[in-house]
Amino acid sequence: MLYTNLKHLETAEDFKKAVSENENVMIICGRMGPMCIPVYEIAEELENEYSHVSFYDMDFDNPASSVLRSLPETYGFMGLPFTFYFKNGKVVKATSSIQSMDQVKTILNSEFPVAVKA
Amino acid sequence: MDTGNHYDTIVIGGGPAGLTAGIYLSRARVKTLILNEGAAGGQMVLTHEIANYPGVETISGYQLSAIMKKQALSFGCKIRSNISIAATELYGDIKKITLSDGSYYTSDTVVIASGGRPRMLGIPGEDELRGKGISYCATCDGDFFTGKEIIVVGGGNSALEEAVSLTKYARKVTVVHQFDHFQAFEYAVREAEDNPAINFLMETVVASFDGQEKLESVLLKNLRTDELTRLRTDGAFIFIGYVPNTEFLRGVIEMNSSGEIIVDDHMATSIKGVFAAGDSIVKRYRQVTTAVGDGTIAALAATAYINEMKMQRKETAVI
Ligand SMILES: Cc1cc2nc3c(=O)[nH]c(=O)nc-3n(C[C@H](O)[C@H](O)[C@H](O)COP(=O)(O)OP(=O)(O)OC[C@H]3O[C@@H](n4cnc5c(N)ncnc54)[C@H](O)[C@@H]3O)c2cc1C
């Protein structure tokens, strides 16, 4: 159980729906641990600024999180949280362990640029 | 003059010292802003269980942080987390803090409560393999190393206690320490030495972390013989102490050679109107309770300073 203000993914179906219905998705898969909490907080803070990105979390200890844990991008990952960035249903970036606000923003800006209106 | 960005006090850092200062200041109706680089709660968030905070039998660091934050907010304190400070102007009666996004705030006083962080080794491979075999938190990542062979770098209490706790998961733990003796309590040393899954490499340092997609081996250097050896390992946990988060004030404020801010009994620093509290100051014992105590004193001293300034301004106006 994650005590965050992010939208929670509870089942594999939730996950499929999230990445198929939204173009840009960030999912943080972790526990309520010291390396995870700062990343949830960063996502909570960026939700308004990055309205074109959908932010979710998923409990690492929920068996359904195997949809994320078994992704090939997690090879070598040994630090929580596992954070995934999906574009049109495909993983475009994944990180392991704590990240700073600047690191998260850099990824969001490069992977999910806002279309410039002509 | 636009006073929207002006506060009576700006607190830099939102760990227990900063949050306590925020509680005391706001409750005394001092207009206060906390600017915090990380998550509110600071290192408390890193602590799974705090059992030595009087009045609370046991609580997770996250929960204690959330309560302190709520308390500060309830008295009207403003908190901005996950910001980054680009520049400080602390001399003069009005202090100015500029953030990396270009916005700035001014204040009459500043309380520095920027705490500390785990020391890094600063050697090749450390940045690249963090989260891919290198960890600074045994309780977070220990179970990824079930049945594996790992190293623990360090020789203080944390290193030895965490080495013992990691034997719950890892098959073999090798403690790598640069000196020929430990800087830890006797009981911690004994417990580690008595554990059959732990062995020791003394007078040895890690020269580099190596691996393609994850940590695969470390290059070790024996400090007595200068001999280099390669050790295959699945993981490395680093516990080599803490450094104060005061780099952004180097050359600005008086510090000792370790970068800890020098304060007097009232938490006043070398700069008029600037106070400091918590793990970032010169002191022997770094705990939540001591940070909370420092934060209280700094807040009360800052309040007194503000009141004095107001009196002086009034007197000058009358003359
Ligand atoms: C793993 C671990 C376990 C611990 N267990 C206990 C325990 O059981 N009991 C106990 O009493 N103590 C414990 N401690 C110690 C305790 O957590 C610290 O002494 C205490 O948190 C220090 O408080 P602080 O407010 O001075 O600093 P910190 O808690 O370090 O908070 C400082 C804050 O300032 C922010 N900051 C840093 N630089 C800047 C900047 N330039 N601008 C803006 N913000 C900045 C940081 O992001 C952070 O949020 C533990 C520490 C650790 C690491």
Side-chain angles (χ1 to χ4, degrees), chain B residues 12-18 35-44 46-47 49-52 83 85 113-117 162 242 245 248 277-280 286-291:
Chain B
I12 299 180
L35 293 173
N36 187 38
E37 204 171 75
Q43 292 173 66
M44 276 197 295
L46 291 173
T47 315
E49 190 187 84
I50 296 178
N52 52 9
I83 53 86
I85 291 176
S114 50
R117 63 174 187 283
E162 300 294 15
Y242 284 81
N245 295 320
F248 71 112
D279 279 12
S280 59
R286 293 188 157 73
Q287 288 287 291
V288 176
T289 47
T290 56

Side-chain angles (χ1 to χ4, degrees), chain B residues 14-52:
Chain B
L19 290 172
T20 304
I23 291 169
Y24 272 83
L25 287 159
S26 312
R27 196 152 182 250
R29 303 202 179 278
V30 174
K31 192 179 167 200
T32 305
L33 170 70
I34 297 179
L35 293 173
N36 187 38
E37 204 171 75
Q43 292 173 66
M44 276 197 295
V45 176
L46 291 173
T47 315
H48 274 266
E49 190 187 84
I50 296 178
N52 52 9

Side-chain angles (χ1 to χ4, degrees), chain A residues 2 4 6-9 27-28 40 55-59:
Chain A
L2 300 176
T4 73
L6 297 170
K7 285 171 280 191
H8 307 307
L9 300 176
I27 306 175
I28 306 159
Y40 303 133
F55 295 88
Y56 297 91
D57 62 30
M58 192 165 196
D59 189 342

